[in-house]
Amino acid sequence: MSGLYAKKIFDLTGMVAVVTGGGTGIGLMISQGLAANGAKVYITGRRKEVLDQVANAWKEESGSIISLPMDATDKESILTARNEIAAKEGKLHILVNNAGQVGPVSTFLGDPSAPERKDAASLGQALFDNETFDAWGDLYRINTFSIFFVTNAFLGLLSQGSKELSSEGFTSSVINTTSISGITKLAQRHFCYNSAKSAASHLTKMLSTEYALKGIQVRVNAIAPGVYESEMTASNLSGEEVVNRVGNGIQPVPSKRAGTAEEMAGTAVYLASRAGCYTNGQEIIIDGGYLAVNP
């Protein structure tokens, strides 16, 4: 029965992880959670100084956090990082595609008195004028396209990670950070962000299915967070009013608070560890009940 102890089934000792956008917000929560449970975690992003600060600050007894600059929207940068991991580790067990941005926002959508909402023509023209094809393309590039290119660049190393631990029934894991914004039918003032996250959700399922049908022992799942502290939301979500303003729903968040680092990290550790090895092609929603009360 000792194999059922939490310290055994959630243990990531000896495993290698890459977390894109791992220096701030949700990515940092996940990076620290993986490292705290024994993993060697490479955090990537475009701001080297942010990555270095996080890596230098990690002083826990277990695991490690290593800075690895990488632009998840640039193929050459992705391959450079992949080759560095290949040279240093020769394998990968966990890939977290977390890099993301908000993109264009139409604030008047949330203001019933805004002149842009006085009639259908005004609303349509305002949405047309306020956003651009380029802005939409830029956001899809980071929130959706990067998942496809980063995952496939690291797929060989992930497969090698599965082979290394195959005798234990372990399979390497890809975890995509999606969002409840890609599931709710509300635009939440940003049509582009929500539709890009929805695309990321479906891409998760397609990658999982195609790899499984082709006999590739790499699982692909997603975490769809609700309101959590990040650079995209706010650095302090201690008040219920602030949480609901960020959630921008018809109904308030039932939990009356933002999600915690423990809840985010715990979900990621489950998917990445032996405990989650029978989970594939799924999207786990952690939103304090937001989607239970909003369409």
Side-chain angles (χ1 to χ4, degrees):
M1 296 296 291
S2 61
L4 297 180
Y5 292 149
K7 64 182 180 181
K8 174 68 175 178
I9 60 177
F10 296 112
D11 184 25
L12 303 178
T13 300
M15 296 189 190
V16 181
V18 169
V19 181
T20 71
T24 61
I26 287 173
L28 178 58
M29 296 176 192
I30 292 174
S31 297
Q32 292 177 331
L34 297 177
N37 286 278
K40 178 189 286 189
V41 184
Y42 289 86
I43 55 173
T44 81
R46 289 179 284 199
R47 295 176 294 174
K48 184 177 185 300
E49 66 280 3
V50 173
L51 302 177
D52 289 344
Q53 183 177 0
V54 170
N56 293 335
W58 183 256
K59 294 182 173 61
E60 299 295 326
E61 294 181 2
S62 60
S64 59
I65 296 178
I66 302 166
S67 170
L68 179 63
M70 184 188 83
D71 181 348
T73 67
D74 182 271
K75 292 180 74 172
E76 183 177 349
S77 181
I78 294 168
L79 290 179
T80 297
R82 189 275 310 274
N83 292 341
E84 183 168 341
I85 298 294
K88 291 182 176 179
E89 309 294 345
K91 60 186 179 294
L92 186 65
H93 304 96
I94 306 157
L95 171 63
V96 181
N97 288 305
N98 173 77
Q101 296 174 356
V102 174
V105 177
S106 296
T107 56
F108 52 82
L109 280 174
D111 181 5
S113 63
E116 294 90 344
R117 289 181 51 179
K118 67 180 181 180
D119 54 38
S122 298
L123 178 59
Q125 192 65 48
L127 288 169
F128 184 88
D129 293 340
N130 188 58
E131 305 192 9
T132 67
F133 279 94
D134 287 342
W136 274 62
D138 288 344
L139 190 72
Y140 268 75
R141 186 180 180 92
I142 181 64
N143 284 10
T144 309
F145 303 167
S146 67
I147 292 174
F148 176 84
F149 288 101
V150 172
T151 300
N152 285 303
F154 283 91
L155 186 60
L157 290 174
L158 287 162
S159 178
Q160 192 60 38
S162 293
K163 291 175 183 177
E164 181 195 43
L165 300 176
S166 61
S167 62
E168 303 176 25
F170 175 85
T171 47
S172 294
S173 175
V174 177
I175 304 169
N176 298 326
T177 303
T178 55
S179 175
I180 59 166
S181 293
I183 301 171
T184 182
K185 291 185 282 291
L186 298 170
Q188 300 171 299
R189 301 184 302 164
H190 33 58
F191 277 95
C192 182
Y193 178 83
N194 290 29
S195 61
K197 284 298 185 179
S198 183
S201 295
H202 192 59
L203 180 56
T204 297
K205 296 175 177 63
M206 287 193 294
L207 290 171
S208 167
T209 295
E210 290 293 343
Y211 294 164
L213 288 174
K214 291 164 179 58
I216 297 171
Q217 296 299 307
V218 175
R219 298 174 293 114
V220 186
N221 295 289
I223 298 174
V227 181
Y228 284 76
E229 291 182 357
S230 72
E231 288 186 327
M232 290 193 297
T233 57
S235 59
N236 187 345
L237 294 176
S238 58
E240 183 180 350
E241 181 181 348
V242 178
V243 169
N244 290 324
R245 186 164 65 249
V246 171
N248 203 28
I250 296 173
Q251 298 294 330
V253 178
S255 67
K256 300 182 179 181
R257 63 173 176 83
T260 67
E262 291 83 358
E263 290 158 345
M264 177 57 64
T267 306
V269 170
Y270 158 70
L271 287 173
S273 69
R274 292 167 179 82
C277 279
Y278 212 52
T279 304
N280 195 5
Q282 303 304 307
E283 185 172 34
I284 299 179
I285 299 167
I286 46 174
D287 69 347
Y290 180 97
L291 289 176
V293 296
N294 286 286

